[in-house]
């Protein structure tokens, strides 16, 4: 009986369909060895017996080999949604500052959200199985792992995750939205990321794709577009033998007609979504060649208004959402108001936060600046709010309680790191959920402590507050 992953479009987290972006607009990255080698099968379902695989190929004209050995009780080789989870963990690691020991401190909820997956109950069970597979499966890349620091190809043996620690809300040792995790990435992956052997990652586009298999094929295709030695050069087309491509995708049935059938859905979605221009097959049987032609994204024009927003350090996803939600005419008018405020002498603690707030403002918090005198002197801004929240505060005050809690946890975990244990982070999350501590205040105080070099003192005070919460709850 085939194993299943938690999938189907109706169970995906709601996603706005977005178009793929030019590489020059991407601000996220993934480790290039992992992306290029395709460590995780693109198949959503695998046979019970699929517990290992071996792929032989050539790198720079030399023979290379990649093997995978999994533990049967955890569901066979990594596959399906495992690729989404693995990508999310690496992205969280990069976002947290690429610590030397490869540690990621996060929550189960944050991982599912970053992977673009639904945060309902059964996905936490799927997440736990994925984490066990990534922790126990052993990979060996023989003369196939790029040591970017030395500029050569080496052999590396590793488990995707070298350490896994988490809290549970019950005695069943399962994950839930309240679970706090400490994860350590494999040392070769960490070393590679810190040596900047990475490729751009279009996470918004990736997580908007409907099927796990489409996302897996996209990740592999996007990695193969880049030069393996200098991952900054994009190819316009990619041609590969059908059997070699099945091996790269870790497809079980290597009959050519089955390979085509397995990949058809992913090909159709990627063409529909504007990533692939065309997919063609040439030849017959095992000698067939698949040729992928990519849409030339870098040739697309960039919106001048989008560029203007980004010039004030508004992140790309936020800038795109402003244009989608409010329209170009509204955003352009508010941009003029924002620039007039600055020209009139308004002192913003954070310009990007001010700009976003001016665009979103529907309560006339920002009065129209007076017109500049005919002599061309500086404009004078009329009354504006005396207090402008930081980006961290905006993140903490918007959205549902759970979203505000996760925003606070993300900031505190990033700043405090090892100062709190996994169980203490779990207690912090519980205190925030129960509203015994106020998330925006915790975020402000943590940020201030970082700025003033007093994180140890802040951590001690927070632990005292958590102990008080524990006693109240006890």
């Amino acid at each position: 009986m085939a194993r299943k992953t938690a999938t189907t479009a109706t169970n995906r987290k709601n996603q706005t369909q977005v178009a793929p972006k030019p590489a020059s607009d991407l601000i996220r990255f993934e480790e290039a060895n992992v992306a290029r080698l395709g460590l995780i099968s693109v198949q959503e379902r695998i046979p019970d017996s699929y517990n290992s695989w071996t792929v032989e190929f050539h790198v720079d004209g030399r023979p290379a080999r990649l093997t995978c050995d999994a533990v049967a009780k955890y569901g066979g080789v990594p596959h399906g949604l495992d690729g989404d989870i693995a990508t999310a963990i690496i992205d969280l690691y990069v976002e947290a500052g690429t610590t030397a020991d490869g540690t990621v401190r996060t929550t189960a909820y944050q991982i599912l959200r970053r992977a673009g997956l639904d945060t309902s109950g059964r996905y936490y069970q799927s997440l736990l199985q994925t984490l066990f597979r990534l922790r126990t499966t052993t990979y060996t890349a023989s003369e196939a792992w790029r040591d970017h620091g030395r500029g050569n190809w080496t052999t590396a043996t590793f488990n995707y995750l070298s350490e896994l620690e988490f809290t549970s809300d019950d005695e069943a040792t399962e994950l839930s939205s309240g679970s706090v995790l400490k994860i350590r990435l494999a040392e070769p992956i960490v070393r590679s990321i810190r040596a900047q052997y990475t490729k751009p990652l279009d996470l918004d586009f990736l997580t908007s794709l409907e099927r796990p298999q489409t996302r897996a094929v996209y990740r592999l295709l996007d990695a193969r577009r880049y030069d393996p030695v200098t991952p900054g050069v994009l190819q316009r087309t990619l041609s590969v033998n059908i059997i070699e491509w099945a091996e790269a995708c870790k497809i079980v049935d290597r009959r050519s007609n089955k390979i085509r059938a397995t990949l058809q859905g992913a090909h159709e979605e990627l063409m529909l979504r504007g990533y692939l221009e065309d997919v063609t097959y040439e030849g017959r049987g095992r000698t067939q060649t698949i040729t992928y032609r990519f849409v030339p994204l870098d040739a697309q024009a960039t919106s001048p208004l989008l560029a203007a927003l980004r010039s004030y350090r508004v992140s790309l996803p936020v800038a795109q959402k402003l244009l989608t939600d409010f329209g170009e005419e509204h955003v352009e008018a508010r941009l003029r108001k924002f620039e007039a405020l600055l020209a009139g002498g308004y002192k913003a603690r954070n310009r990007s936060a001010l700009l976003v707030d001016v665009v979103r403002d529907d309560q006339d918090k920002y009065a129209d600046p007076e017109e500049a005198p005919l002599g061309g002197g500086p404009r004078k801004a009329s009354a504006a709010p005396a207090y402008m929240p930081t980006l961290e505060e905006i993140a903490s005050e918007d959205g549902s309680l759970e979203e505000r809690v996760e925003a606070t946890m993300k900031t505190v975990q990033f700043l405090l790191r090892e100062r709190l244990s996994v169980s203490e982070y779990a207690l912090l999350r519980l205190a925030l959920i129960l509203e015994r501590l106020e998330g925006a205040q915790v975020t402000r105080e943590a940020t201030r402590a970082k700025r003033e070099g007093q994180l140890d003192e802040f951590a001690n005070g927070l632990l005292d507050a958590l102990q008080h919460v524990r006693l109240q709850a006890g």
Side-chain angles (χ1 to χ4, degrees), residues 245-282:
W245 190 238
E247 292 175 344
C249 294
K250 315 308 181 291
I251 295 173
V252 180
D253 195 329
R254 303 288 168 81
R255 290 175 292 175
S256 59
N257 62 323
K258 292 295 185 180
I259 297 169
R260 293 178 65 153
T262 299
L263 295 173
Q264 182 177 351
H267 290 168
E268 290 175 350
E269 186 176 356
L270 290 173
M271 286 190 286
L272 180 65
R273 295 295 304 279
Y275 178 73
L276 289 176
E277 194 173 272
D278 194 20
V279 180
T280 58
Y281 292 85
E282 296 181 6

Side-chain angles (χ1 to χ4, degrees), residues 5-18:
T5 55
T7 182
T8 74
T10 55
N11 288 327
R12 289 277 291 160
K13 179 171 70 68
N14 291 333
Q15 294 288 344
T16 301
Q17 284 210 355
V18 297

Side-chain angles (χ1 to χ4, degrees), residues 351-403:
R351 289 192 174 193
S352 59
L354 174 62
L355 174 53
V356 170
D357 202 48
V358 169
V359 173
R360 291 175 174 169
D361 176 34
D362 60 359
Q363 300 177 352
D364 295 326
K365 291 194 295 182
Y366 302 94
D368 290 330
E370 298 176 5
E371 292 295 327
L374 292 178
R379 296 181 178 181
K380 181 183 293 184
S382 55
Y387 172 70
M388 185 62 218
T390 65
L391 285 175
E392 291 88 351
E393 291 162 353
I394 290 173
S396 298
E397 292 168 3
D398 288 344
S400 66
L401 173 62
E402 190 163 31
E403 289 171 336

Side-chain angles (χ1 to χ4, degrees), residues 271-408:
M271 286 190 286
L272 180 65
R273 295 295 304 279
Y275 178 73
L276 289 176
E277 194 173 272
D278 194 20
V279 180
T280 58
Y281 292 85
E282 296 181 6
R284 296 174 60 84
R286 299 175 64 87
T287 64
Q288 289 180 74
T289 297
I290 310 176
T291 298
Y292 294 97
R293 184 176 296 276
F294 302 99
V295 173
L297 300 176
D298 287 317
Q300 295 180 353
T302 301
S303 162
L305 190 53
L306 183 66
L309 293 174
R310 297 199 66 200
S311 71
Y312 287 105
R313 303 185 69 82
V314 177
S315 72
L316 184 61
V318 171
Q320 290 174 323
K321 183 169 175 54
L322 291 176
L323 289 169
T324 300
D325 291 349
F326 297 99
E328 290 196 359
E329 184 176 347
H330 174 91
V331 173
E332 186 173 5
R334 293 303 178 87
L335 177 60
R336 288 198 300 268
K337 174 183 278 193
F338 161 77
E339 291 177 335
L341 284 170
L342 296 183
Y346 180 64
K347 302 299 182 183
R349 289 170 53 188
N350 187 308
R351 289 192 174 193
S352 59
L354 174 62
L355 174 53
V356 170
D357 202 48
V358 169
V359 173
R360 291 175 174 169
D361 176 34
D362 60 359
Q363 300 177 352
D364 295 326
K365 291 194 295 182
Y366 302 94
D368 290 330
E370 298 176 5
E371 292 295 327
L374 292 178
R379 296 181 178 181
K380 181 183 293 184
S382 55
Y387 172 70
M388 185 62 218
T390 65
L391 285 175
E392 291 88 351
E393 291 162 353
I394 290 173
S396 298
E397 292 168 3
D398 288 344
S400 66
L401 173 62
E402 190 163 31
E403 289 171 336
R404 296 197 305 272
V405 168
E406 293 307 325
T408 299

